[in-house]
Amino acid sequence: MSERGKRTNLVHGGTKRSQWNEVSEAIFLTQGFVYDNAEAAEARFLNTGPDEYIYARYGNPTVAMFEERMALLEGAEDGFACASGMAAVNGALTSMLKAGDHVVSAKALFGSCLYILEDVLGRFGVDVTFVDGANLDEWRAAMRPDTKAVFFESMSNPTLEVIDIAGVAAIAHEVGALVVVDNVFSTPVYSKAIEQGADVVVYSTTKHVDGQGRCLGGIILGTKDHIRGVVEPYMKHTGGSLSPFNAWVMLKGLETVALRVRAQTEGAVAIAKACEGHPKLERFIYPGLKSHPQYDLAMRQLGAGGTMLSLVLKGGKEAAFRFLNALEIAIISNNLGDAKSIVTHPATTTHQRLSDETRADLGISDGLVRFSVGIEDPADLVADVLQALDAV
Ligand SMILES: *Cc1c(COP(=O)(O)O)cnc(C)c1O
């Protein structure tokens, strides 16, 4: 049969049925597996017998179904599921780096990613150079013969700057560095990161993949050789594996992720059309608007503007807080990619710990509100945003 489409794979891909032929994927909520005899146990640990399970930190049937379905969605050969997005980011980097290596990273990073790049890696003797991710000249200038990896979020949080995966990959591959992309804001639904040159793609599946605010999870995707040869040995011995229960929730999330992400995008486009140029706004940021400085790149890289918006209100923190408090549908929280619309004030929450200078450098002003668009009726979301802007 010819290659199946994403939506078909999201419903059927990776399914392995037990002897009962259940319709819904089974949760194998077990940490261990029984061996028929002592010889079988020995063979499994020696890896000479059939490829079966040993211990849930190493692998589990429900987790394996999730890994296979995610790999099909991303177009990757393989994946290793992790306990959270941060377990995935940490595992993707520390599994392949050693003291003396050099890494080049974009400087606009999720706070915990910044902690790993800025603090953890340095303590183990890895040298990290930070660059403006949107500036290919800075990437080029930062590369060294000992550069082993480059790291960036393909769409930055919360300023929604799109980083050119193909452009950075061409530069990194010249010195043989692996391209590690945190692709959360781009979503696995729109991602074509591997064909654009990414070697390792990381997701927090807490976001769009669960998409219903229930579980933490993450995944590292790449070639079979890299995932099974480099990532798995590190992950299975250091404890960041995904729980089978969370894998099952994520499998159910995958069945609907493409429908949800497209509905979210529809809402984002509707809000963007209604808000662009609004007199209460200093700036409205959405990569799916022609006015976004990287609109062409967003269309080439993703084919859509995605599910996230940022509104910069005139009047700083006070105006931003009035706007947040006046919203009646969108809730104030800090997750994203959820079925529910969620608003965040990064300067006082997710990015509070950054210095004033760093926030200014990253464009995170006191008036900026991040809006993760949910699957509610677009007309209701537009009405909610407009009435909240009126209240400012
Ligand atoms: C949320 C997020 C993470 C971390 O994911 P968790 O599942 O919360 O550990 C990493 N990178 C990006 C871009 C994120 O949005």
Side-chain angles (χ1 to χ4, degrees):
M1 197 178 152
S2 63
E3 209 168 288
R4 292 177 169 190
K6 278 190 177 181
R7 277 167 50 179
T8 307
N9 283 331
L10 283 171
V11 176
H12 297 286
T15 302
K16 285 175 200 67
R17 297 202 161 88
S18 78
Q19 72 272 33
W20 307 114
N21 258 337
E22 61 283 347
V23 169
S24 176
E25 298 77 357
I27 315 180
F28 292 94
L29 207 54
T30 178
Q31 44 77 6
F33 302 85
V34 178
Y35 314 105
D36 287 340
N37 48 52
E39 288 76 11
E42 182 186 33
R44 236 179 267 184
F45 274 80
L46 283 172
N47 221 354
T48 55
D51 187 16
E52 285 169 337
Y53 297 99
I54 295 175
Y55 190 58
R57 179 153 41 74
Y58 294 21
N60 167 287
T62 310
V63 175
M65 285 192 260
F66 171 64
E67 290 170 341
E68 195 173 328
R69 199 172 286 179
M70 277 298 303
L72 280 167
L73 174 61
E74 186 64 33
E77 285 176 18
D78 211 340
F80 194 94
C82 308
S84 67
M86 286 323 304
V89 172
N90 185 56
L93 292 168
T94 45
S95 64
M96 63 165 287
L97 294 170
K98 61 178 190 320
D101 286 345
H102 178 240
V103 172
V104 183
S105 171
K107 64 186 172 185
L109 295 180
F110 179 70
S112 303
C113 294
L114 190 63
Y115 174 77
I116 291 174
L117 271 299
E118 202 169 45
D119 194 299
V120 177
L121 292 183
R123 280 198 270 129
F124 293 91
V126 175
D127 190 21
V128 183
T129 305
F130 289 96
V131 297
D132 172 355
N135 185 337
L136 291 180
D137 291 335
E138 286 198 20
W139 286 102
R140 210 170 281 117
M143 289 301 153
R144 307 197 315 220
D146 61 342
T147 306
K148 289 290 168 358
V150 301
F151 179 79
F152 56 96
E153 294 169 16
S154 56
M155 192 190 286
S156 71
N157 170 23
T159 50
L160 310 180
E161 209 170 58
V162 185
I163 295 186
D164 181 352
I165 297 176
V168 176
I171 294 165
H173 289 158
E174 261 175 50
V175 299
L178 283 193
V179 177
V180 183
V181 180
D182 179 336
N183 218 22
V184 167
F185 277 54
S186 300
T187 85
V189 173
Y190 294 131
S191 172
K192 301 181 211 98
I194 289 186
E195 70 180 65
Q196 284 152 349
D199 299 295
V200 178
V201 184
V202 175
Y203 289 101
S204 163
T205 59
T206 312
K207 312 293 167 56
H208 302 82
V209 172
D210 175 13
Q212 289 152 89
R214 300 164 296 197
C215 290
L216 293 178
I219 193 158
I220 306 168
L221 298 151
T223 63
K224 196 164 230 39
D225 281 351
H226 186 77
I227 296 298
R228 296 301 149 196
V230 177
V231 173
E232 182 191 302
Y234 178 86
M235 290 304 301
K236 76 180 185 186
H237 293 305
T238 55
S241 305
L242 184 65
S243 105
F245 181 83
N246 288 10
W248 179 80
V249 173
M250 301 288 172
L251 268 171
K252 295 285 110 184
L254 280 175
E255 291 189 344
T256 58
V257 70
L259 305 181
R260 284 184 283 107
V261 164
R262 285 184 204 287
Q264 288 170 272
T265 306
E266 196 192 320
V269 169
I271 296 172
K273 282 189 179 147
C275 287
E276 200 186 14
H278 193 286
K280 298 273 173 82
L281 296 177
E282 196 174 287
R283 206 178 150 208
F284 186 89
I285 312 172
Y286 182 57
L289 279 179
K290 288 221 169 71
S291 60
H292 190 282
Q294 293 153 311
Y295 170 80
D296 291 336
L297 174 60
M299 290 305 128
R300 189 160 19 101
Q301 193 154 297
L302 304 169
T307 68
M308 303 294 295
L309 314 162
S310 285
L311 304 89
V312 183
L313 284 109
K314 291 177 183 164
K317 176 182 164 184
E318 198 186 333
F321 273 29
R322 279 221 188 126
F323 175 71
L324 289 181
N325 293 336
L327 286 165
E328 289 168 4
I329 295 174
I331 54 175
I332 303 170
S333 189
N334 35 253
N335 192 16
L336 61 95
D338 201 88
K340 297 179 175 70
S341 287
I342 294 176
V343 280
T344 310
H345 186 244
T348 54
T349 60
T350 52
H351 293 70
Q352 186 192 140
R353 274 168 305 171
L354 299 183
S355 68
D356 292 347
E357 300 79 65
T358 306
R359 269 202 303 276
D361 184 37
L362 296 176
I364 306 170
S365 61
D366 288 347
L368 189 145
V369 170
R370 189 185 79 183
F371 199 118
S372 169
V373 184
I375 62 172
E376 301 95 337
D377 283 295
D380 291 343
L381 292 177
V382 168
D384 193 28
V385 169
L386 291 178
Q387 68 78 24
L389 284 173
D390 280 346
V392 174

